[in-house]
Amino acid sequence: MKSNISTELLVDSHVKFIQSLGEDRDLTYHLTTHLRMNAVYWAVTALCIMGRKEALDREQMIDFVLSCWDDEAGGFGSHPGHDAHLLSTLSAIQILTIQDAVDRMDVPRVVKFISSLQTSSGTFAGDHYGETDTRFSYCAINALSLLDMKYLTPGTAVIDVDKVIDHISRCRNFDGGFGSGVGAESHAGQVWVCLAALSILGRLDIVDEKTLGWWLAERQLPNGGLNGRPEKLEDVCYSFWVLSSLSILRKLHWINRDALISFILSAQDPDDGGIADRPGDMCDVFHTLFGIAGLSLLGYPNLQDIDPVYCMPAKLIEKKGLKKTWLALPRHLS
Amino acid sequence: MSVNYNKNSPSIKTRYAKLHQKENKNYTPETLSLTSQLLSINPEFYTIWNYRRQILTEGIFPLKSATEVNDLITADLNLTMSALRQNPKVYWVWNHRRWCLEHVPENPGEDQSNWRKMSWVKELRVIESFLDADPRNFHAWNYRRYVLQSPYVDHTWEQELNYTTRKIESNFSNFSAWHQRSKVYTSLWERGINDEELKSIKNQEFNLIKQAIYTDPGDQSIWLYHRWLVGEGKDEELLRREIEMIEELLSIEPDRCLDTLIHYKTLLLRHRYSLKDRDECITLSSRLRQLDPFRDGRYQDIANELLSMPNN
Ligand SMILES: [Zn+2]
């Protein structure tokens, strides 16, 4: 375990850490190809929030995204040669949106791919092999809204929006939270995807805000970190899932800001950069993004705003006219 | 199966590249065994799971007898089992296991559903062993609910309730089991039971929670469940009884009890408003602010809401 615990965000180290991710093509690189597209999205979003978007080459990134096109399915896979999946397709659309290059992909085919994945119960499958999950409903809603709100608007909608909402409401539990499917236990990650989808669709009215807000606030543990379910360990990635959910409910002041900031900062690697799930563990780009995104929502100084509904730069989402009613904590000056 | 590799070995790359000649539609037993090797190295290669299912359904099953197909499915169930033993939280593996179950062939003999029934019933035991190892694994719980929905599985709501009781009694903080209980009851209530039955079930349930609360009053899960049972507090008698129980407990674990006490007293205020009772709630909430400063913002909101509560 590292002894020198940082008390501030090591922006330069994290930028270097992110830049180094693609360089070393060792075994780990090859064992994580199934996550590559998501990793690029995590990397570029983290850089945007730190105000260092240009640290990764734009053209190279766009070329990579386009090279993951699965022409048989009409969507994006996680790596060249991998099958199309909704998770990687959303990441591809998010990256191209951030790089202002959506016109470089075949939008009508992607829209068709996404809408073909809605099942008769209203939820979405991740691909044509049929695994369903509220995560995939969110991916579909998020992706379609980024491409054009008309795909979700009555009259021009390409999916059955009411059925999605009905399905999400059936995934609601007695604790106010949501699970991955009907009957499944509440989990902070699933709570976030359901709230974010409902927020995009303007249907937060079906949420029991008080009970869910209580459940979310109780995710903070005495060490300041947040867990994802009762009686579980704290983990930096929940800093985003719990915080963004509270932010969508405009209840971010229901947890302790300073204690959580200290926890996230203590999970940084002061030597090689990056943020881990908890202090002393191996860093990865996933926890690096969600740590930084959490800090941004908490008003940590010198960061760009993140949109908690899309987990993308807030300015960009606002420019696209997609900003919702969420509330982040005011940004501190230092 | 273990595959040896060293950091400089190109084997994964070349094997992977070889598999990616998918345009060739190479659905042979050789490619099938190649997918087994790759999946044992990394069970998260979702494309390889997809490819494996294609090889089986398009290249291999059509050439086999029902018995042979059943054996191949059994082999794949074993493959996912060893993958899940190593990492019980990989979505793709659970997904492939579902696919296997759904592809058990009908046996050609007299008793048409035998193989299928056997596989699904066996699955219930398999899943219990996963939940014994990790009683909070939500993949395993989801899979359990999936198996219970099968027409091949006879399992009554009483049996499922007993199962969750066992899980809860071995650990009162097993939130997954409380959650499952809430689902069993919800489906029971949706089917409709008479008031008498409902009352007796609820009373039984309050007794179980009381034990749990006295064991660990600091566990939020139990309070959530308690609040769910009390609901909007339409039964005033019950509400008063539970408030009394909490007030007794208050000296042991004020923190969590206070939160629910304020909640119930606020419900009571909706039945019968009095300034004195409202002020008591506000006093309780400021006590809570001192006890639990992390969530100060929430308690402040609760106090503000009490202040602006209409006094009808
Ligand atoms: Zn994590």
Side-chain angles (χ1 to χ4, degrees), chain A residues 31 81-83 185 210 218, chain B residues 16 20 42 46 176 256 305:
Chain A
L31 286 177
H82 285 223
D83 290 346
E185 183 183 342
K210 273 192 205 159
E218 292 289 340
Chain B
Y16 194 74
H20 266 284
N42 185 2
Y46 69 92
S176 306
R256 291 265 203 254
E305 205 179 318

Side-chain angles (χ1 to χ4, degrees), chain A residues 234-238 241 276-278 284 286-287:
Chain A
E234 69 285 350
D235 182 329
V236 161
C237 58
Y238 293 106
W241 293 325
D277 57 355
R278 58 185 70 92
D284 58 67
F286 174 82
H287 290 94

Side-chain angles (χ1 to χ4, degrees), chain A residues 4-320:
Chain A
N4 51 332
I5 289 184
S6 316
T7 51
E8 51 188 276
L9 185 67
L10 308 166
V11 171
D12 289 333
S13 308
H14 298 323
V15 172
K16 268 199 208 110
F17 171 75
I18 290 172
Q19 285 174 321
S20 74
L21 289 170
E23 287 165 7
D24 192 12
R25 304 219 161 184
D26 60 4
L27 190 65
T28 320
Y29 180 90
H30 292 284
L31 286 177
T32 54
T33 49
H34 63 284
L35 286 172
R36 186 72 62 239
M37 181 72 86
N38 306 78
V40 173
Y41 153 72
W42 296 328
V44 69
T45 307
L47 290 174
C48 288
I49 301 310
M50 292 187 288
R52 301 285 287 273
K53 183 178 162 189
E54 69 293 339
L56 287 178
D57 185 75
R58 178 178 183 270
E59 277 309 309
Q60 234 181 330
M61 194 181 295
I62 296 171
D63 286 346
F64 170 78
V65 171
L66 299 178
S67 72
C68 296
W69 176 252
D70 172 355
D71 199 51
E72 206 180 319
F76 290 94
S78 59
H79 195 261
H82 285 223
D83 290 346
H85 195 281
L86 206 41
L87 289 169
S88 37
T89 298
L90 170 62
S91 289
I93 294 169
Q94 288 175 307
I95 297 164
L96 294 177
T97 303
I98 288 172
Q99 298 294 9
D100 193 19
V102 175
D103 56 349
R104 305 260 295 263
M105 70 175 197
D106 188 342
V107 174
R109 280 204 70 194
V110 171
V111 169
K112 212 171 139 198
F113 170 69
I114 296 171
S115 58
S116 73
L117 294 173
Q118 188 171 27
T119 70
S120 57
S121 67
T123 184
F124 279 77
D127 60 19
H128 291 301
Y129 293 91
E131 183 198 4
T132 62
D133 192 309
T134 44
R135 286 180 302 152
F136 306 146
S137 302
Y138 167 70
C139 288
I141 301 293
N142 179 338
L144 290 173
S145 72
L146 281 178
L147 292 174
D148 197 324
M149 262 320 272
K150 76 176 179 198
Y151 297 126
L152 299 171
T153 313
T156 48
V158 293
I159 60 163
D160 190 332
V161 172
D162 289 339
K163 256 187 159 174
V164 183
I165 296 163
D166 176 62
H167 178 263
I168 294 177
S169 73
R170 281 185 287 120
C171 295
R172 195 178 42 200
N173 294 317
F174 76 97
D175 49 33
F178 297 86
S180 59
V182 178
E185 183 183 342
S186 300
H187 175 289
Q190 307 289 158
V191 168
W192 172 59
V193 292
C194 290
L195 285 183
L198 291 172
S199 174
I200 294 172
L201 298 172
R203 287 306 306 275
L204 285 172
D205 58 296
I206 69 163
V207 179
D208 177 354
E209 294 191 9
K210 273 192 205 159
T211 311
L212 179 53
W214 184 42
W215 187 86
L216 288 164
E218 292 289 340
R219 303 282 55 78
Q220 188 164 36
L221 300 174
N223 67 6
L226 306 175
N227 64 12
R229 289 190 288 156
E231 307 293 316
K232 288 286 194 179
L233 280 179
E234 69 285 350
D235 182 329
V236 161
C237 58
Y238 293 106
S239 310
F240 182 74
W241 293 325
V242 174
L243 290 185
S244 54
S245 299
L246 283 169
S247 163
I248 291 170
L249 299 177
R250 301 168 71 89
K251 295 186 190 323
L252 211 40
H253 60 292
W254 280 19
I255 55 117
N256 186 284
R257 172 186 185 269
D258 294 344
L260 179 54
I261 288 179
S262 309
F263 172 74
I264 299 173
L265 294 178
S266 71
Q268 298 180 105
D269 181 337
D271 302 323
D272 301 320
I275 302 178
D277 57 355
R278 58 185 70 92
D281 284 357
M282 274 273 284
C283 295
D284 58 67
V285 63
F286 174 82
H287 290 94
T288 304
L289 167 64
F290 291 120
I292 293 170
L295 290 174
S296 173
L297 285 173
L298 292 170
Y300 190 86
N302 302 317
L303 289 176
Q304 299 297 306
D305 292 345
I306 185 138
D307 185 297
V309 173
Y310 287 91
C311 193
M312 285 169 70
K315 261 190 210 142
L316 178 63
I317 296 300
E318 195 171 356
K319 212 174 92 191
K320 292 180 70 70

